[in-house]
Amino acid sequence: METALFDALTRLFAKPEAKADLSDPKLAVAALLVHLAAVDGVMQETERQAIRGALMDHYDLTSTSVDKLIQDAARHDAEAVDFYKFTSGLIQLEMSDRIEIIRMMWTVVFADRTNHELEDNMVWRIAELIGVSSRDRTILRNQIRGRVAEDEPGQ
């Protein structure tokens, strides 16, 4: 009995597993993109591919490393109660990097050729949290939406 109690207390006060470093911009951005893709209730395959492509291009990742990053990001997103744990470190990045994050977000939003109001709201909230202006956010949305419209069949 005492051994079981001692073991339980030891586990309770043992050093927790090392957590992933959410100050790593790659993980924070990946978690935001994963959340964004599912915010309208369903993650389309086109959104999944947009996340992979954006992360691989921006961070120069291999296919294997981006898959692991997305898996880690999905786990952290599922555990998160708000966006602050992801955005708090991103505010320290250069403005050009923060703008690129918003560009990646719009790429994921328009990957399925629709802009759900929940997606729009999330991009707005993240832009505000990381200090990207409404003007820049709107310009980026229009640029990405314009590219998607140009790529549509019959255009």
Side-chain angles (χ1 to χ4, degrees), residues 50 53-54 57 99-114 136-155:
D57 291 347
I99 287 173
E100 185 58 29
I101 291 166
I102 301 303
R103 180 185 311 280
M104 287 188 273
M105 293 182 82
W106 285 126
T107 300
V108 171
V109 166
F110 288 108
D112 63 357
R113 304 204 181 286
T114 60
D136 286 337
R137 176 178 47 85
T138 303
I139 288 169
L140 291 167
R141 179 183 60 209
N142 292 339
Q143 286 174 350
I144 302 300
R145 182 175 42 204
R147 275 193 221 135
V148 168
E150 289 173 6
D151 292 342
E152 286 182 2
Q155 294 291 322

Side-chain angles (χ1 to χ4, degrees), residues 88-106:
S88 60
L90 299 178
I91 192 74
Q92 307 301 320
L93 298 175
E94 295 291 325
M95 180 56 74
S96 59
D97 289 328
R98 290 182 275 155
I99 287 173
E100 185 58 29
I101 291 166
I102 301 303
R103 180 185 311 280
M104 287 188 273
M105 293 182 82
W106 285 126

